[in-house]
Amino acid sequence: MKVLVTGGAGYIGSHACKALSKTGHTPITFDNLSTGWRDAVQFGPFFEGDLTDKSSIERAFAEHRPDAVLHFAALSRVDEAMAKPELYWRNNVLGSLNLFEAAVQHDCLDLVFSSTCATFGDQDNVILDENTPQHPINAYGASKQAVERMLQDFEATHGLRNVIFRYFNVAGADPDAEVGEFHRPETHLIPIVLDTVAGERDQVTIYGTDYPTPDGTCVRDYVHVSDLVDAHLLGLQWLKDGKGSRAFNLGTGSGFSVREVIHSANRVTNREVPTAIGDRRPGDAIKLVSGSKRAEDELKWTPQKSTMPQMIEDAWRWHQVADYRK
Ligand code: UDP
């Protein structure tokens, strides 16, 4: 199958391209390289384009005639979304609209969409499963929720079948260290901790220690990027099997606090990361943990590598050898 991968030069998209090519598919990366890396495109053709430019996504469909789409391309930083919500509405919502219209025009009607647990907002002590009402608290979550809603209409009217995955926190790297997580600026906890271990930063600032959690720091549910992309292959198969549109949360159901993540990184890397205590980061939810069993039950998805030490070990290996980080 030829699969158009928007955001294929990014962290999760590049891992998906590798998984697609390993299973006999051809990933066609469509990316504007705003947050992705040309060097991460190693597993199939590259089309440089921007989803907010409708003509470029139309050309990509005309040139490559894909059979399905994995739609990763998006802005995904809560801090940036709080400061510049317009970027999120334009890139994530308008970009997706252009993509969906082009997909329908080219009769490419199976699409997997990357959504987020940020669509749920801050619901303390609520188990976040697929039936939880979505109340996003920042423009990132709101933009993703809007695209989820748009997909309902595109399915009903134009037959655009879709699987929606709501990611919890994605971590780790390709176990062969061919691709990995790299953002500039880096805002994510585990890469920042590893940058600090590597001496590229002086310290990790913990954003808030007065949250109502056991150790006062925010709690997240971390999933290994390899497990996450496995779910995407299952999602594509689900659509090709004609099972219809469905939303799945992708998390493990286990929560780790910021302090627990740092502690685990200290153990894996055998160093002691210097920390400082900072203010809460605007837009952060206290606790986001998946209560979902739907992906396991229906997709038969079983996370294999999503333990905290394994995620940190794989991320650390990549961090040490990655050439496009340099
Ligand atoms: N965090 C932190 N210091 C950092 C980066 C992140 O304390 O330098 C915290 C952040 O407030 C959140 C958690 O780590 O509670 C995970 O943040 P990340 O940005 O990795 O992912 P998010 O949950 O925002 O998608």
Side-chain angles (χ1 to χ4, degrees):
M1 208 166 29
K2 285 205 273 183
V3 183
L4 183 75
V5 182
T6 74
Y11 170 38
I12 304 168
S14 60
H15 288 76
C17 289
K18 178 169 179 178
L20 285 166
S21 88
K22 270 182 96 171
T23 48
H25 303 295
T26 303
I28 299 134
T29 291
F30 181 95
D31 202 296
N32 65 4
L33 300 182
S34 66
T35 58
W37 306 97
R38 182 64 184 86
D39 290 348
V41 185
Q42 304 170 19
F43 311 101
F46 177 52
F47 191 106
E48 186 168 352
D50 191 312
L51 287 178
T52 60
D53 169 16
K54 190 151 185 249
S55 66
S56 77
I57 185 62
E58 278 171 351
R59 273 187 279 117
F61 272 99
E63 201 173 299
H64 290 284
R65 311 225 150 263
D67 305 295
V69 180
L70 296 185
H71 178 28
F72 296 99
L75 295 175
S76 62
R77 278 173 45 197
V78 170
D79 61 320
E80 187 181 53
M82 298 297 286
K84 296 177 184 162
E86 59 280 6
L87 282 184
Y88 280 68
W89 288 97
R90 184 177 313 111
N91 272 279
N92 296 358
V93 181
L94 175 61
S96 296
L97 174 61
N98 287 339
L99 171 68
F100 300 164
E101 285 194 276
V104 168
Q105 271 159 27
H106 289 85
D107 206 27
C108 178
L109 297 176
D110 291 312
L111 180 140
V112 177
F113 172 58
S114 306
S115 188
T116 168
C117 62
T119 57
F120 293 114
D122 210 348
Q123 310 198 33
D124 201 22
N125 290 326
V126 170
I127 291 175
L128 300 174
D129 66 19
E130 290 81 358
N131 299 315
T132 306
Q134 293 168 293
H135 300 297
I137 57 170
N138 53 57
Y140 168 53
S143 68
K144 289 287 187 172
Q145 185 192 23
V147 178
E148 288 194 15
R149 183 64 187 77
M150 202 194 306
L151 279 170
Q152 279 181 25
D153 290 338
F154 269 76
E155 142 111 83
T157 306
H158 301 301
L160 183 62
R161 299 173 290 264
N162 57 84
V163 162
I164 293 169
F165 286 129
R166 300 189 192 115
Y167 306 162
F168 284 68
N169 286 55
V170 189
D174 169 31
D176 309 325
E178 287 185 303
V179 280
E181 181 169 17
F182 183 45
H183 307 101
R184 279 294 176 265
E186 189 54 77
T187 62
H188 292 104
L189 179 61
I190 292 175
I192 283 179
V193 170
L194 296 179
D195 286 351
T196 312
V197 171
E200 295 165 23
R201 285 173 186 261
D202 296 336
Q203 62 188 21
V204 180
T205 302
I206 299 174
Y207 295 143
T209 53
D210 59 347
Y211 284 101
T213 59
D215 67 16
T217 65
C218 288
V219 171
R220 297 287 181 272
D221 180 339
Y222 293 83
V223 190
H224 196 297
V225 64
S226 298
D227 288 334
L228 193 90
V229 301
D230 284 350
H232 287 68
L233 297 182
L234 294 168
L236 276 179
Q237 193 56 49
W238 171 282
L239 289 169
K240 293 297 173 192
D241 289 345
K243 293 187 176 165
S245 298
R246 195 85 169 126
F248 299 94
N249 290 359
L250 294 181
T252 65
S254 299
F256 289 84
S257 72
V258 175
R259 286 193 200 279
E260 285 172 327
V261 171
I262 295 171
H263 184 64
S264 183
N266 286 342
R267 290 235 296 264
V268 170
T269 61
N270 216 9
R271 316 270 170 95
E272 189 72 28
V273 182
T275 57
I277 293 171
D279 293 337
R280 291 182 176 198
R281 185 171 66 175
D284 269 348
I286 302 168
K287 179 177 170 183
L288 292 168
V289 177
S290 168
S292 169
K293 287 264 167 283
R294 184 185 285 180
E296 262 177 71
D297 293 345
E298 298 184 17
L299 271 185
K300 311 295 176 208
W301 176 66
T302 324
Q304 306 284 340
K305 299 196 175 82
S306 296
T307 65
M308 187 52 69
Q310 179 80 61
M311 290 185 280
I312 292 176
E313 197 183 309
D314 288 342
W316 180 226
R317 185 183 312 108
W318 186 82
H319 197 285
Q320 291 168 289
V321 303
D323 27 353
Y324 59 88
R325 284 195 78 254
K326 300 193 172 106

